[in-house]
Amino acid sequence: MITDKESMGFKRLKWQCRRGMLELDVLFEPFLDDVFLSLDEADKQRFYKLIECEDQEIFPWFMQKEVPEDPDLARIVDIIVTRVQPENYRA
């Protein structure tokens, strides 16, 4: 279980958040830095599941063109999308 930003697991996860699409990088990396550690364990597991998906599959989810069929993925996408809304963003 990842408990802090200095752990090897967190650093590995940060590396996995680096994607082939800049649009996903700007969502995942700040989310990981600012929110991930405060998630409950079930939502952390959903995030792990999400980053295993292909960029081409998840990009439409974050552009809100499609919704994942998997309810776990839909939940974590919603958490991330809600977090980046201007009224919810804390730099």
Side-chain angles (χ1 to χ4, degrees):
M1 176 171 32
I2 298 174
T3 58
D4 65 40
K5 292 183 180 183
E6 296 304 315
S7 72
M8 206 51 163
F10 188 85
K11 291 177 181 178
R12 189 178 2 248
L13 185 58
K14 190 165 182 79
W15 182 255
Q16 290 175 299
C17 286
R18 298 182 74 180
R19 310 300 288 206
M21 299 179 85
L22 178 62
E23 296 87 349
L24 296 176
D25 287 349
V26 299
L27 289 171
F28 285 169
E29 291 183 39
F31 182 81
L32 182 67
D33 288 336
D34 300 339
V35 179
F36 179 79
L37 290 175
S38 67
L39 295 175
D40 64 34
E41 192 58 37
D43 285 336
K44 286 180 182 176
Q45 293 304 315
R46 290 177 180 108
F47 187 76
Y48 291 126
K49 188 175 183 179
L50 175 67
I51 63 171
E52 293 298 319
C53 297
E54 295 293 327
D55 289 357
Q56 298 80 0
E57 180 181 14
I58 63 179
F59 183 72
W61 301 342
F62 287 103
M63 297 300 104
Q64 298 178 307
K65 304 268 187 218
E66 296 177 13
V67 175
E69 290 181 20
D70 182 319
D72 286 333
L73 292 174
R75 175 173 166 76
I76 195 65
V77 167
D78 183 60
I79 290 170
I80 295 169
V81 167
T82 299
R83 193 267 180 194
V84 298
Q85 298 302 316
E87 64 273 9
N88 297 326
Y89 187 76
R90 293 177 190 93

Coordinates of all heavy atoms in Angstrom, one line a residue:
M1 N 0.8 -1.2 0.0 CA 0.0 0.0 0.0 C 0.9 1.2 0.0 O 1.9 1.3 0.7 CB -0.9 0.0 1.2 CG -1.7 1.3 1.3 SD -3.1 1.4 2.5 CE -2.5 0.4 3.9
I2 N 0.6 2.2 -0.8 CA 1.3 3.5 -0.9 C 0.8 4.4 0.2 O -0.4 4.7 0.2 CB 1.2 4.1 -2.3 CG1 1.7 3.1 -3.4 CG2 1.8 5.4 -2.4 CD1 1.5 3.6 -4.8
T3 N 1.7 4.9 1.0 CA 1.3 5.8 2.1 C 1.9 7.2 2.0 O 1.5 8.1 2.7 CB 1.7 5.2 3.4 OG1 3.1 4.9 3.5 CG2 0.9 3.9 3.7
D4 N 2.9 7.4 1.2 CA 3.5 8.7 1.0 C 4.2 8.9 -0.3 O 4.4 7.9 -1.0 CB 4.5 9.0 2.2 CG 5.7 8.1 2.2 OD1 6.3 7.8 1.1 OD2 6.1 7.8 3.3
K5 N 4.5 10.1 -0.6 CA 5.1 10.4 -1.9 C 6.5 10.0 -2.1 O 7.0 10.0 -3.2 CB 5.0 11.9 -2.2 CG 3.6 12.4 -2.4 CD 3.5 13.9 -2.7 CE 2.1 14.3 -2.8 NZ 2.0 15.7 -3.2
E6 N 7.2 9.6 -1.0 CA 8.6 9.2 -1.1 C 8.7 7.7 -1.3 O 9.8 7.2 -1.5 CB 9.3 9.7 0.2 CG 9.4 11.2 0.3 CD 10.0 11.9 -0.9 OE1 11.0 11.4 -1.4 OE2 9.4 12.9 -1.4
S7 N 7.6 7.0 -1.2 CA 7.7 5.5 -1.3 C 8.0 5.1 -2.8 O 7.7 5.8 -3.7 CB 6.4 4.9 -0.9 OG 5.4 5.1 -1.8
M8 N 8.7 4.0 -2.9 CA 9.0 3.5 -4.2 C 7.7 3.2 -5.0 O 7.7 3.4 -6.2 CB 9.8 2.2 -4.0 CG 10.7 1.9 -5.2 SD 11.7 3.3 -5.6 CE 12.9 2.5 -6.5
G9 N 6.7 2.7 -4.4 CA 5.4 2.5 -5.0 C 4.8 3.7 -5.6 O 4.3 3.7 -6.8
F10 N 4.9 4.8 -4.9 CA 4.3 6.1 -5.4 C 5.2 6.5 -6.6 O 4.6 7.0 -7.6 CB 4.4 7.1 -4.3 CG 3.6 8.4 -4.7 CD1 2.3 8.5 -4.6 CD2 4.3 9.5 -5.3 CE1 1.6 9.7 -5.0 CE2 3.7 10.6 -5.6 CZ 2.3 10.8 -5.5
K11 N 6.5 6.4 -6.5 CA 7.3 6.8 -7.6 C 7.1 6.0 -8.9 O 7.0 6.5 -10.0 CB 8.8 6.8 -7.2 CG 9.1 7.9 -6.2 CD 10.6 7.8 -5.7 CE 10.8 8.8 -4.7 NZ 12.2 8.8 -4.1
R12 N 6.8 4.7 -8.7 CA 6.5 3.8 -9.8 C 5.2 4.2 -10.4 O 5.0 4.3 -11.6 CB 6.5 2.4 -9.3 CG 6.4 1.4 -10.4 CD 6.4 -0.1 -9.9 NE 6.5 -0.2 -8.4 CZ 7.6 -0.6 -7.7 NH1 8.6 -1.0 -8.3 NH2 7.6 -0.6 -6.4
L13 N 4.2 4.5 -9.6 CA 2.9 4.9 -10.0 C 3.0 6.3 -10.8 O 2.3 6.4 -11.8 CB 1.9 5.1 -8.8 CG 0.5 5.4 -9.1 CD1 -0.1 4.3 -10.1 CD2 -0.3 5.5 -7.9
K14 N 3.8 7.2 -10.3 CA 4.0 8.5 -11.0 C 4.6 8.2 -12.4 O 4.1 8.9 -13.3 CB 4.9 9.4 -10.2 CG 5.0 10.8 -10.7 CD 5.6 11.7 -9.7 CE 5.6 13.1 -10.1 NZ 4.4 13.8 -10.0
W15 N 5.5 7.3 -12.5 CA 6.0 7.0 -13.8 C 4.9 6.4 -14.7 O 4.9 6.7 -15.9 CB 7.2 6.0 -13.7 CG 7.8 5.7 -15.0 CD1 7.7 4.5 -15.7 CD2 8.7 6.5 -15.7 NE1 8.4 4.6 -16.8 CE2 9.0 5.8 -16.9 CE3 9.2 7.8 -15.6 CZ2 9.8 6.3 -17.9 CZ3 10.0 8.3 -16.6 CH2 10.3 7.6 -17.7
Q16 N 4.1 5.6 -14.2 CA 3.0 5.0 -15.0 C 2.0 6.0 -15.4 O 1.3 5.8 -16.4 CB 2.3 3.9 -14.2 CG 3.1 2.6 -14.0 CD 2.4 1.7 -13.1 OE1 2.1 2.0 -11.9 NE2 2.1 0.5 -13.6
C17 N 1.9 7.1 -14.7 CA 1.0 8.2 -15.1 C 1.5 9.0 -16.2 O 0.7 9.8 -16.8 CB 0.7 9.1 -13.9 SG -0.4 8.3 -12.6
R18 N 2.7 8.9 -16.6 CA 3.3 9.6 -17.7 C 2.8 8.8 -19.0 O 3.1 7.7 -19.2 CB 4.8 9.6 -17.7 CG 5.2 10.4 -16.4 CD 6.7 10.5 -16.4 NE 7.1 11.5 -17.4 CZ 8.3 11.8 -17.6 NH1 9.3 11.3 -16.9 NH2 8.6 12.7 -18.5
R19 N 2.0 9.5 -19.8 CA 1.3 8.9 -20.9 C 1.9 9.3 -22.2 O 2.7 10.2 -22.3 CB -0.2 9.2 -20.8 CG -0.9 9.0 -19.5 CD -0.8 7.5 -19.0 NE -1.6 6.7 -19.8 CZ -2.1 5.6 -19.5 NH1 -1.9 5.1 -18.3 NH2 -2.9 4.8 -20.3
G20 N 1.3 8.8 -23.3 CA 1.7 9.2 -24.6 C 1.0 10.4 -25.1 O 1.3 11.0 -26.1
M21 N 0.0 10.8 -24.3 CA -0.8 12.0 -24.7 C -0.7 13.1 -23.6 O -1.0 12.8 -22.4 CB -2.3 11.6 -24.8 CG -2.6 10.6 -25.9 SD -4.3 10.2 -25.9 CE -4.9 11.5 -27.0
L22 N -0.3 14.3 -24.0 CA -0.1 15.4 -23.1 C -1.4 15.7 -22.3 O -1.4 16.0 -21.1 CB 0.4 16.6 -23.8 CG 0.5 17.9 -22.9 CD1 1.6 17.7 -21.9 CD2 0.9 19.1 -23.8
E23 N -2.5 15.5 -23.0 CA -3.8 15.8 -22.4 C -4.1 14.9 -21.2 O -4.7 15.3 -20.2 CB -5.0 15.6 -23.4 CG -5.0 16.6 -24.5 CD -4.1 16.1 -25.7 OE1 -3.3 15.1 -25.6 OE2 -4.2 16.8 -26.8
L24 N -3.6 13.7 -21.2 CA -3.8 12.8 -20.1 C -2.7 13.1 -19.0 O -3.0 13.0 -17.8 CB -3.7 11.3 -20.6 CG -4.8 10.9 -21.5 CD1 -4.6 9.5 -22.0 CD2 -6.2 11.1 -20.9
D25 N -1.5 13.4 -19.4 CA -0.5 13.8 -18.5 C -0.9 14.9 -17.6 O -0.7 14.9 -16.3 CB 0.8 14.2 -19.2 CG 1.6 13.1 -19.8 OD1 1.2 11.9 -19.5 OD2 2.5 13.4 -20.6
V26 N -1.6 15.9 -18.1 CA -2.0 17.1 -17.3 C -3.2 16.8 -16.4 O -3.5 17.6 -15.5 CB -2.2 18.3 -18.2 CG1 -1.0 18.8 -19.0 CG2 -3.4 18.1 -19.1
L27 N -3.8 15.7 -16.6 CA -4.9 15.2 -15.7 C -4.3 14.3 -14.6 O -4.5 14.5 -13.5 CB -6.0 14.4 -16.5 CG -6.9 15.3 -17.4 CD1 -7.7 14.3 -18.2 CD2 -7.7 16.2 -16.6
F28 N -3.5 13.3 -15.1 CA -3.1 12.2 -14.1 C -2.0 12.7 -13.2 O -2.1 12.4 -12.0 CB -2.5 11.1 -14.9 CG -3.6 10.2 -15.6 CD1 -3.2 9.2 -16.5 CD2 -4.9 10.3 -15.3 CE1 -4.1 8.4 -17.1 CE2 -5.9 9.5 -15.9 CZ -5.4 8.6 -16.8
E29 N -1.0 13.4 -13.6 CA 0.1 13.8 -12.7 C -0.4 14.7 -11.6 O -0.1 14.4 -10.4 CB 1.2 14.3 -13.5 CG 1.9 13.2 -14.4 CD 3.1 13.7 -15.1 OE1 3.9 14.5 -14.6 OE2 3.3 13.3 -16.3
P30 N -1.1 15.8 -11.9 CA -1.6 16.6 -10.7 C -2.5 15.8 -9.8 O -2.5 16.0 -8.6 CB -2.3 17.8 -11.4 CG -1.7 17.8 -12.8 CD -1.4 16.4 -13.1
F31 N -3.4 15.0 -10.4 CA -4.3 14.2 -9.6 C -3.5 13.3 -8.7 O -3.8 13.2 -7.5 CB -5.2 13.4 -10.5 CG -6.2 12.6 -9.7 CD1 -7.4 13.2 -9.2 CD2 -6.0 11.2 -9.4 CE1 -8.3 12.5 -8.5 CE2 -6.9 10.5 -8.7 CZ -8.1 11.1 -8.2
L32 N -2.5 12.6 -9.2 CA -1.7 11.8 -8.4 C -1.0 12.6 -7.2 O -1.1 12.1 -6.1 CB -0.6 11.1 -9.2 CG 0.3 10.1 -8.5 CD1 -0.5 8.9 -8.0 CD2 1.4 9.7 -9.4
D33 N -0.4 13.7 -7.6 CA 0.3 14.5 -6.6 C -0.7 15.1 -5.5 O -0.3 15.1 -4.3 CB 1.0 15.6 -7.2 CG 2.2 15.1 -8.0 OD1 2.8 14.0 -7.7 OD2 2.7 15.9 -8.9
D34 N -1.8 15.5 -5.9 CA -2.7 16.3 -5.0 C -3.8 15.5 -4.4 O -4.3 15.9 -3.3 CB -3.3 17.4 -5.8 CG -2.3 18.4 -6.4 OD1 -1.2 18.4 -5.9 OD2 -2.7 19.1 -7.3
V35 N -4.2 14.4 -5.0 CA -5.5 13.7 -4.5 C -5.3 12.2 -4.2 O -5.9 11.7 -3.2 CB -6.6 13.9 -5.6 CG1 -7.9 13.2 -5.1 CG2 -6.8 15.3 -5.9
F36 N -4.4 11.5 -4.9 CA -4.4 10.1 -4.8 C -4.2 9.6 -3.4 O -4.9 8.7 -3.0 CB -3.2 9.5 -5.7 CG -3.1 8.1 -5.6 CD1 -3.9 7.2 -6.3 CD2 -2.1 7.5 -4.7 CE1 -3.8 5.9 -6.2 CE2 -2.0 6.1 -4.6 CZ -2.8 5.3 -5.3
L37 N -3.3 10.2 -2.6 CA -3.1 9.6 -1.3 C -4.2 9.8 -0.3 O -4.4 9.1 0.7 CB -1.8 10.3 -0.7 CG -0.5 9.9 -1.3 CD1 0.7 10.7 -0.7 CD2 -0.3 8.4 -1.2
S38 N -5.2 10.7 -0.7 CA -6.3 10.9 0.2 C -7.5 10.0 -0.2 O -8.5 10.0 0.5 CB -6.8 12.4 0.1 OG -7.2 12.7 -1.1
L39 N -7.4 9.3 -1.3 CA -8.5 8.4 -1.7 C -8.6 7.2 -0.8 O -7.6 6.8 -0.2 CB -8.2 7.9 -3.1 CG -8.1 8.8 -4.3 CD1 -7.7 8.1 -5.6 CD2 -9.5 9.5 -4.5
D40 N -9.8 6.7 -0.7 CA -9.9 5.4 0.1 C -9.3 4.3 -0.8 O -9.0 4.5 -2.0 CB -11.4 5.1 0.5 CG -12.3 4.9 -0.7 OD1 -11.9 4.3 -1.7 OD2 -13.5 5.3 -0.6
E41 N -9.1 3.2 -0.2 CA -8.4 2.1 -0.8 C -9.1 1.6 -2.1 O -8.5 1.3 -3.1 CB -8.2 0.9 0.1 CG -7.3 -0.2 -0.4 CD -5.9 0.4 -0.7 OE1 -5.4 1.2 0.0 OE2 -5.3 -0.1 -1.7
A42 N -10.5 1.6 -2.1 CA -11.2 1.1 -3.3 C -11.0 2.1 -4.4 O -10.8 1.6 -5.6 CB -12.7 1.0 -2.9
D43 N -11.0 3.4 -4.2 CA -10.7 4.3 -5.3 C -9.3 4.3 -5.7 O -9.0 4.5 -6.9 CB -11.1 5.8 -4.8 CG -12.6 6.0 -4.8 OD1 -13.4 5.2 -5.5 OD2 -13.1 6.9 -4.1
K44 N -8.4 4.0 -4.9 CA -7.0 3.8 -5.3 C -6.9 2.6 -6.3 O -6.2 2.7 -7.3 CB -6.1 3.6 -4.1 CG -5.8 4.8 -3.3 CD -4.9 4.5 -2.1 CE -4.6 5.8 -1.3 NZ -3.8 5.5 -0.1
Q45 N -7.6 1.5 -5.9 CA -7.6 0.4 -6.8 C -8.2 0.7 -8.2 O -7.8 0.2 -9.2 CB -8.3 -0.8 -6.1 CG -7.6 -1.3 -4.9 CD -6.2 -1.8 -5.2 OE1 -5.9 -2.4 -6.2 NE2 -5.3 -1.4 -4.4
R46 N -9.3 1.6 -8.1 CA -9.9 2.0 -9.4 C -8.9 2.8 -10.2 O -8.8 2.7 -11.5 CB -11.1 2.8 -9.1 CG -12.3 2.0 -8.6 CD -13.5 2.9 -8.2 NE -14.5 2.1 -7.7 CZ -14.9 2.0 -6.4 NH1 -14.3 2.9 -5.5 NH2 -15.8 1.2 -6.0
F47 N -8.1 3.6 -9.6 CA -7.1 4.4 -10.3 C -6.0 3.5 -10.9 O -5.6 3.7 -12.1 CB -6.4 5.4 -9.4 CG -5.5 6.4 -10.1 CD1 -6.0 7.4 -10.8 CD2 -4.1 6.2 -10.0 CE1 -5.1 8.3 -11.5 CE2 -3.3 7.1 -10.7 CZ -3.8 8.1 -11.4
Y48 N -5.6 2.5 -10.2 CA -4.6 1.5 -10.8 C -5.2 0.9 -12.0 O -4.5 0.7 -13.0 CB -4.3 0.4 -9.8 CG -3.5 0.8 -8.6 CD1 -3.9 0.6 -7.3 CD2 -2.2 1.5 -8.7 CE1 -3.1 0.9 -6.2 CE2 -1.5 1.9 -7.6 CZ -1.9 1.6 -6.4 OH -1.2 1.9 -5.3
K49 N -6.5 0.5 -11.9 CA -7.2 -0.1 -13.0 C -7.2 0.8 -14.2 O -7.0 0.4 -15.4 CB -8.6 -0.5 -12.6 CG -9.4 -1.3 -13.6 CD -10.7 -1.8 -12.9 CE -11.5 -2.6 -13.8 NZ -12.8 -3.0 -13.1
L50 N -7.5 2.1 -14.0 CA -7.6 3.1 -15.0 C -6.3 3.3 -15.8 O -6.3 3.3 -17.0 CB -8.0 4.4 -14.4 CG -8.1 5.6 -15.4 CD1 -9.2 5.4 -16.4 CD2 -8.3 6.9 -14.6
I51 N -5.2 3.3 -15.0 CA -3.9 3.6 -15.7 C -3.4 2.4 -16.5 O -2.5 2.5 -17.3 CB -2.8 4.1 -14.8 CG1 -2.5 3.2 -13.7 CG2 -3.2 5.5 -14.2 CD1 -1.3 3.6 -12.9
E52 N -4.1 1.2 -16.3 CA -3.7 0.1 -17.1 C -4.4 0.1 -18.5 O -4.0 -0.6 -19.4 CB -4.1 -1.2 -16.4 CG -3.3 -1.5 -15.2 CD -1.8 -1.7 -15.4 OE1 -1.5 -2.3 -16.4 OE2 -1.0 -1.1 -14.7
C53 N -5.4 1.0 -18.7 CA -6.1 1.1 -19.9 C -5.2 1.9 -21.0 O -4.4 2.7 -20.6 CB -7.4 1.9 -19.7 SG -8.6 1.1 -18.6
E54 N -5.6 1.7 -22.2 CA -4.9 2.3 -23.3 C -5.3 3.8 -23.4 O -6.5 4.1 -23.2 CB -5.1 1.6 -24.6 CG -4.6 0.2 -24.7 CD -3.1 0.1 -24.7 OE1 -2.4 1.1 -25.2 OE2 -2.5 -0.8 -24.1
D55 N -4.4 4.7 -23.8 CA -4.7 6.1 -24.0 C -5.9 6.3 -24.9 O -6.7 7.1 -24.6 CB -3.5 6.8 -24.5 CG -2.4 7.0 -23.5 OD1 -2.5 6.5 -22.3 OD2 -1.3 7.5 -23.8
Q56 N -5.9 5.6 -26.0 CA -7.0 5.8 -27.0 C -8.3 5.4 -26.5 O -9.4 6.0 -26.9 CB -6.7 5.0 -28.3 CG -5.5 5.4 -29.0 CD -4.2 4.8 -28.4 OE1 -4.2 4.0 -27.4 NE2 -3.1 5.1 -29.0
E57 N -8.3 4.5 -25.5 CA -9.6 4.1 -24.9 C -10.1 5.1 -23.9 O -11.3 5.5 -23.8 CB -9.4 2.8 -24.2 CG -10.6 2.2 -23.5 CD -10.4 0.9 -22.8 OE1 -9.2 0.5 -22.6 OE2 -11.4 0.3 -22.4
I58 N -9.2 5.7 -23.1 CA -9.6 6.6 -22.0 C -9.7 8.0 -22.4 O -10.4 8.8 -21.7 CB -8.7 6.5 -20.8 CG1 -7.2 6.9 -21.1 CG2 -8.7 5.0 -20.2 CD1 -6.3 6.8 -19.9
F59 N -9.1 8.5 -23.5 CA -9.1 9.8 -23.9 C -10.6 10.3 -24.0 O -10.9 11.4 -23.5 CB -8.3 10.1 -25.1 CG -8.3 11.5 -25.6 CD1 -7.6 12.5 -24.9 CD2 -9.0 11.9 -26.7 CE1 -7.6 13.8 -25.3 CE2 -9.0 13.2 -27.1 CZ -8.3 14.2 -26.4
P60 N -11.5 9.6 -24.7 CA -12.9 10.0 -24.9 C -13.6 10.2 -23.6 O -14.5 11.0 -23.4 CB -13.5 9.0 -25.8 CG -12.4 8.3 -26.4 CD -11.2 8.4 -25.5
W61 N -13.2 9.4 -22.6 CA -13.8 9.4 -21.3 C -13.6 10.8 -20.6 O -14.5 11.4 -20.0 CB -13.3 8.3 -20.3 CG -13.6 6.9 -20.8 CD1 -14.5 6.5 -21.8 CD2 -12.9 5.8 -20.4 NE1 -14.4 5.2 -22.0 CE2 -13.4 4.7 -21.1 CE3 -12.0 5.5 -19.4 CZ2 -13.0 3.4 -20.9 CZ3 -11.5 4.2 -19.2 CH2 -12.1 3.2 -20.0
F62 N -12.3 11.3 -20.7 CA -12.0 12.5 -20.1 C -12.4 13.7 -20.9 O -12.5 14.8 -20.4 CB -10.5 12.6 -19.8 CG -10.1 11.7 -18.7 CD1 -9.5 10.5 -18.9 CD2 -10.4 12.0 -17.4 CE1 -9.2 9.6 -17.8 CE2 -10.1 11.2 -16.3 CZ -9.5 10.0 -16.6
M63 N -12.7 13.5 -22.2 CA -13.2 14.6 -23.0 C -14.8 14.6 -22.9 O -15.4 15.4 -23.5 CB -12.8 14.4 -24.5 CG -11.3 14.5 -24.7 SD -10.6 16.1 -24.2 CE -9.8 15.7 -22.7
Q64 N -15.3 13.7 -22.1 CA -16.7 13.5 -21.8 C -17.5 13.3 -23.1 O -18.7 13.7 -23.2 CB -17.2 14.7 -21.0 CG -16.5 14.8 -19.6 CD -17.0 16.0 -18.8 OE1 -17.0 17.1 -19.3 NE2 -17.4 15.7 -17.6
K65 N -16.9 12.5 -24.0 CA -17.6 12.1 -25.2 C -18.2 10.7 -25.0 O -19.1 10.3 -25.7 CB -16.6 12.0 -26.4 CG -15.9 13.3 -26.6 CD -16.6 14.1 -27.6 CE -15.8 15.4 -28.0 NZ -16.6 16.5 -28.2
E66 N -17.6 9.9 -24.1 CA -18.0 8.6 -23.8 C -18.0 8.4 -22.3 O -17.3 9.1 -21.6 CB -17.2 7.5 -24.5 CG -17.2 7.6 -26.0 CD -16.2 6.6 -26.6 OE1 -15.7 5.7 -25.9 OE2 -16.0 6.7 -27.8
V67 N -18.7 7.3 -21.8 CA -18.6 6.9 -20.4 C -18.1 5.5 -20.3 O -18.7 4.7 -21.1 CB -20.0 7.1 -19.7 CG1 -20.0 6.6 -18.3 CG2 -20.5 8.5 -19.8
P68 N -17.2 5.2 -19.5 CA -16.8 3.8 -19.4 C -17.9 2.9 -19.0 O -18.8 3.2 -18.2 CB -15.7 3.8 -18.3 CG -15.4 5.2 -18.0 CD -16.5 6.0 -18.5
E69 N -18.0 1.7 -19.6 CA -19.0 0.7 -19.3 C -18.8 0.1 -17.9 O -19.7 -0.2 -17.2 CB -19.0 -0.4 -20.3 CG -19.5 0.0 -21.6 CD -19.5 -1.2 -22.6 OE1 -19.5 -2.3 -22.2 OE2 -19.5 -0.9 -23.8
D70 N -17.5 0.0 -17.5 CA -17.2 -0.5 -16.2 C -17.5 0.5 -15.1 O -16.9 1.7 -15.2 CB -15.7 -0.9 -16.1 CG -15.2 -1.5 -14.8 OD1 -15.6 -1.0 -13.8 OD2 -14.4 -2.4 -14.9
P71 N -18.3 0.2 -14.1 CA -18.7 1.2 -13.1 C -17.5 1.7 -12.3 O -17.5 2.9 -11.8 CB -19.8 0.5 -12.3 CG -19.8 -0.9 -12.7 CD -19.1 -1.0 -14.0
D72 N -16.5 0.9 -12.1 CA -15.3 1.3 -11.3 C -14.6 2.3 -12.1 O -14.1 3.3 -11.5 CB -14.4 0.1 -11.0 CG -15.0 -0.8 -9.9 OD1 -15.7 -0.3 -9.1 OD2 -14.6 -2.0 -9.9
L73 N -14.4 2.1 -13.4 CA -13.7 3.1 -14.2 C -14.5 4.4 -14.3 O -14.0 5.5 -14.3 CB -13.4 2.5 -15.6 CG -12.4 1.4 -15.6 CD1 -12.2 0.8 -17.0 CD2 -11.0 1.9 -15.1
A74 N -15.8 4.2 -14.4 CA -16.7 5.4 -14.5 C -16.6 6.3 -13.2 O -16.5 7.5 -13.3 CB -18.1 5.0 -14.7
R75 N -16.5 5.6 -12.1 CA -16.3 6.4 -10.8 C -15.0 7.1 -10.8 O -15.0 8.3 -10.4 CB -16.5 5.4 -9.6 CG -16.2 6.1 -8.3 CD -16.5 5.3 -7.1 NE -15.9 5.8 -5.9 CZ -16.5 6.9 -5.2 NH1 -17.6 7.4 -5.7 NH2 -15.9 7.3 -4.1
I76 N -13.9 6.5 -11.1 CA -12.6 7.2 -11.0 C -12.5 8.3 -12.0 O -11.9 9.3 -11.7 CB -11.4 6.2 -10.9 CG1 -10.2 6.9 -10.4 CG2 -11.2 5.6 -12.3 CD1 -10.2 7.3 -9.0
V77 N -13.0 8.0 -13.2 CA -13.0 9.1 -14.2 C -13.8 10.3 -13.7 O -13.4 11.4 -13.8 CB -13.5 8.6 -15.6 CG1 -13.8 9.7 -16.5 CG2 -12.6 7.6 -16.2
D78 N -15.0 10.0 -13.1 CA -15.8 11.1 -12.6 C -15.0 11.9 -11.5 O -15.1 13.1 -11.4 CB -17.1 10.6 -12.1 CG -18.0 11.7 -11.6 OD1 -18.4 12.6 -12.4 OD2 -18.4 11.7 -10.4
I79 N -14.4 11.2 -10.6 CA -13.6 11.8 -9.6 C -12.5 12.7 -10.2 O -12.4 13.9 -9.7 CB -13.0 10.8 -8.6 CG1 -14.0 10.1 -7.8 CG2 -11.9 11.4 -7.7 CD1 -13.5 8.9 -7.0
I80 N -11.8 12.3 -11.2 CA -10.8 13.1 -11.8 C -11.3 14.3 -12.5 O -10.9 15.4 -12.4 CB -9.9 12.2 -12.7 CG1 -9.2 11.1 -11.9 CG2 -8.9 13.0 -13.5 CD1 -8.5 10.0 -12.7
V81 N -12.4 14.0 -13.3 CA -13.0 15.1 -14.1 C -13.6 16.2 -13.2 O -13.4 17.4 -13.4 CB -14.1 14.6 -15.1 CG1 -14.9 15.7 -15.6 CG2 -13.4 13.8 -16.2
T82 N -14.2 15.8 -12.1 CA -14.8 16.7 -11.1 C -13.7 17.5 -10.5 O -13.8 18.7 -10.3 CB -15.6 16.0 -10.1 OG1 -16.7 15.3 -10.7 CG2 -16.1 16.9 -9.0
R83 N -12.6 16.9 -10.2 CA -11.4 17.6 -9.5 C -10.9 18.7 -10.4 O -10.4 19.7 -9.9 CB -10.4 16.5 -9.2 CG -9.3 17.0 -8.2 CD -8.2 17.5 -9.0 NE -7.1 18.0 -8.1 CZ -6.2 18.8 -8.6 NH1 -6.1 19.1 -9.8 NH2 -5.2 19.2 -7.8
V84 N -10.9 18.5 -11.7 CA -10.2 19.5 -12.6 C -11.2 20.6 -13.0 O -10.7 21.6 -13.7 CB -9.6 18.9 -13.8 CG1 -8.5 18.0 -13.4 CG2 -10.6 18.2 -14.7
Q85 N -12.4 20.6 -12.5 CA -13.3 21.7 -12.8 C -12.8 23.0 -12.1 O -12.3 22.9 -11.0 CB -14.8 21.4 -12.4 CG -15.4 20.2 -13.0 CD -15.4 20.3 -14.6 OE1 -15.8 21.4 -15.1 NE2 -15.0 19.3 -15.3
P86 N -12.9 24.1 -12.8 CA -12.3 25.3 -12.2 C -12.7 25.6 -10.8 O -11.9 26.0 -9.9 CB -12.8 26.4 -13.2 CG -13.0 25.7 -14.4 CD -13.5 24.3 -14.1
E87 N -14.0 25.4 -10.4 CA -14.4 25.7 -9.1 C -13.9 24.7 -8.0 O -13.9 25.0 -6.9 CB -16.0 25.7 -9.0 CG -16.7 24.4 -9.3 CD -16.9 24.1 -10.8 OE1 -16.5 24.9 -11.6 OE2 -17.7 23.1 -11.0
N88 N -13.4 23.6 -8.5 CA -12.8 22.6 -7.6 C -11.3 22.5 -7.6 O -10.7 21.8 -6.8 CB -13.3 21.2 -7.9 CG -14.8 21.1 -7.8 OD1 -15.4 21.7 -6.9 ND2 -15.5 20.4 -8.7
Y89 N -10.7 23.2 -8.5 CA -9.2 23.1 -8.6 C -8.5 23.9 -7.6 O -8.8 25.1 -7.4 CB -8.8 23.5 -10.0 CG -7.3 23.3 -10.2 CD1 -6.9 22.0 -10.5 CD2 -6.4 24.3 -10.1 CE1 -5.5 21.7 -10.6 CE2 -5.0 24.0 -10.3 CZ -4.6 22.7 -10.6 OH -3.3 22.5 -10.7
R90 N -7.6 23.3 -6.9 CA -6.7 24.0 -5.9 C -5.3 23.7 -6.3 O -4.8 22.6 -6.2 CB -7.0 23.4 -4.5 CG -8.3 23.8 -4.0 CD -8.5 23.1 -2.6 NE -9.9 23.3 -2.3 CZ -10.9 22.3 -2.5 NH1 -10.6 21.2 -3.1 NH2 -12.1 22.5 -2.1
A91 N -4.6 24.7 -6.8 CA -3.2 24.6 -7.3 C -2.3 24.5 -6.1 O -2.5 24.9 -5.1 CB -2.9 25.7 -8.2

